[in-house]
Amino acid sequence: MSSLSPASEVILRHLDHFTDKHVLIAGDLQDTLASQIQAKSVRAFTNQYHQWLPLLKTMEDNAFFGLVADQSFIKYCDTLIYFWPKNKNEATFQLRSLCSNLQVGTDIFIVGENRSGVKSAVELMDGITKLKKVDSARRCSLFFGTQTYQTLFDKNNWWQTYRYDDLTIMSLPGVFSQNALDEGSKLLLSTFDDVMVGDLLDMACGCGVLATVLGKKNPILKLTLSDVNAAAISSSIATLNVNELEGRVIASNVYSAIEETYDWIISNPPFHNGLDTSYQAAEDIIRLAPNYLKKGGKLRIVANAFLPYQDILDNVFGSHEVLASTGKFRVYQATKKN
């Protein structure tokens, strides 16, 4: 992440504004701009674990990862630079949370690519600040306003729930398949007919539905769930709890925080990083899987049929199976040889 995103390059055009400010940078942090801005102080908050790791190296305690930022972390900041994500509900959740702790009079900058829908920030922030567009470049827009009102925020008011297979699924804004189970995950779950035992890792777990369904059907299955998104971590914990299941839920950038080996690794892996298509996470899940599988352990994933994973599976495992296929999705399985 050495190069800056287009949105960060727009912020660079306004550096003079920040020199005497206590700056909080939050939202979809796609680079290390937060460690490069010259100001009285700079803090960074992200709910994406993979975005936090490189910031931690340079900013240490001034970089925070979590679902919501602690009041003590942001209360002295007088300027917010918010990078707009692709999900409007996620942006609403984060901005309402931040503005419940920022003081009236705080300068607020919101920047994002036009294709992300950043222009809707004006309406979203109505009643908190009156935003005006102050710059447009690199197919991005920058809006500015001064906080007029402090918001009220309770994360318990943001839960969405739905039912699947007689289970209750809990989800927060920004989590994949927040309102209903996606077709790819349904296809993946349809391939599990036999009794499962041992240790299971649900990689990129989202709201935890895959591990929850399998854990409920296989009570002796030991569950571990991981994701980079703090909202997904909280959602998975809530989903397990409401369905009276035990499991370990951890933040991990693919396998960065994984130390054990498993009989099963399952995933409906992402193929986007922010707005851009990216196969890196899915390819890393496949390429590194043998290091985290027991002998005879299985990797089972679902992916859009057009995604090029067959060759990677064969190169890593020697072979693979297609367990199910539709016009849009395929379920792949590969086994670690003894």
Side-chain angles (χ1 to χ4, degrees):
M1 297 203 307
S2 57
S3 60
L4 296 181
S5 68
S8 290
E9 291 181 353
V10 173
I11 293 296
L12 288 180
R13 294 153 60 100
H14 300 267
L15 290 181
D16 289 348
H17 183 90
F18 309 119
T19 53
D20 62 345
K21 299 289 186 178
H22 296 282
V23 177
L24 172 67
I25 301 182
D28 188 19
L29 308 183
Q30 292 289 330
D31 52 45
T32 56
L33 175 72
S35 63
Q36 300 177 37
I37 287 183
Q38 299 298 314
K40 282 186 176 179
S41 68
V42 180
R43 294 192 164 190
F45 163 66
T46 177
N47 70 352
Q48 299 290 332
Y49 188 77
H50 66 298
Q51 296 176 356
W52 172 70
L53 288 175
L55 293 171
L56 179 65
K57 294 179 181 178
T58 55
M59 301 183 70
E60 298 180 340
D61 291 343
N62 288 318
F64 185 93
F65 164 76
L67 178 63
V68 295
D70 289 343
Q71 182 182 17
S72 61
F73 183 78
I74 67 175
K75 66 179 181 179
Y76 296 115
C77 297
D78 56 21
T79 300
L80 169 66
I81 303 174
Y82 182 80
F83 286 83
W84 187 266
K86 68 177 181 179
N87 186 297
K88 182 179 177 180
N89 289 335
E90 181 181 13
T92 306
F93 177 89
Q94 293 177 357
L95 284 166
R96 297 287 180 186
S97 170
L98 291 167
C99 291
S100 69
N101 288 318
L102 293 170
Q103 301 300 311
V104 170
T106 297
D107 288 344
I108 296 177
F109 293 84
I110 298 179
V111 63
E113 295 188 44
N114 295 328
R115 60 181 174 141
S116 71
V118 66
K119 295 178 182 179
S120 63
V122 175
E123 179 181 0
L124 187 154
M125 295 295 286
D126 187 38
I128 301 173
T129 180
K130 186 175 182 180
L131 290 178
K132 293 183 178 180
K133 184 187 284 190
V134 293
D135 201 356
S136 181
R138 299 298 310 277
R139 299 180 181 177
C140 297
S141 295
L142 174 65
F143 297 88
F144 171 75
T146 300
Q147 184 165 339
T148 306
Y149 299 101
Q150 198 171 42
T151 61
L152 297 176
F153 179 83
D154 182 351
K155 65 181 180 182
N156 293 319
N157 295 332
W158 292 82
W159 287 105
Q160 295 284 338
T161 65
Y162 62 90
R163 298 284 292 176
Y164 181 78
D165 205 23
D166 293 327
L167 300 171
T168 298
I169 310 304
M170 307 286 293
S171 191
L172 289 167
V175 178
F176 181 63
S177 293
Q178 181 187 2
N179 299 312
L181 187 62
D182 63 285
E183 293 302 315
S185 294
K186 287 181 183 178
L187 185 65
L188 177 59
L189 286 171
S190 74
T191 65
F192 290 96
D193 296 325
D194 299 331
V195 174
M196 300 174 68
V197 296
D199 300 293
L200 178 141
L201 171 63
D202 182 356
M203 179 70 68
C205 59
C207 57
V209 61
L210 295 178
T212 298
V213 170
L214 296 176
K216 204 68 174 180
K217 292 180 178 179
N218 303 276
I220 63 174
L221 195 62
K222 184 178 178 182
L223 305 177
T224 300
L225 297 78
S226 74
D227 206 290
V228 297
N229 187 335
I233 298 297
S234 295
S235 298
S236 289
I237 292 172
T239 297
L240 289 174
N241 287 341
V242 75
N243 293 290
E244 300 181 335
L245 283 173
E246 293 185 1
R248 189 166 66 107
V249 186
I250 59 175
S252 182
N253 182 18
V254 191
Y255 299 102
S256 67
I258 304 299
E259 299 178 348
E260 294 81 11
T261 56
Y262 298 87
D263 300 283
W264 297 90
I265 296 176
I266 63 170
S267 186
N268 182 352
F271 60 95
H272 288 96
N273 183 14
L275 290 169
D276 297 323
T277 298
S278 174
Y279 306 136
Q280 189 62 55
E283 291 178 359
D284 288 345
I285 289 173
I286 296 170
R287 188 173 293 110
L288 298 173
N291 297 329
Y292 299 92
L293 284 169
K294 299 177 183 179
K295 291 182 178 180
K298 300 181 185 299
L299 170 71
R300 191 178 297 189
I301 66 171
V302 64
N304 288 70
F306 68 87
L307 296 176
Y309 297 147
Q310 299 96 320
D311 289 345
I312 301 174
L313 286 163
D314 288 343
N315 288 337
V316 173
F317 287 91
S319 64
H320 74 277
E321 306 170 72
V322 177
L323 300 182
S325 180
T326 66
K328 190 173 182 181
F329 297 102
R330 289 177 185 161
V331 176
Y332 301 103
Q333 180 168 282
T335 303
K336 181 176 180 179
K337 302 298 189 292
N338 288 330

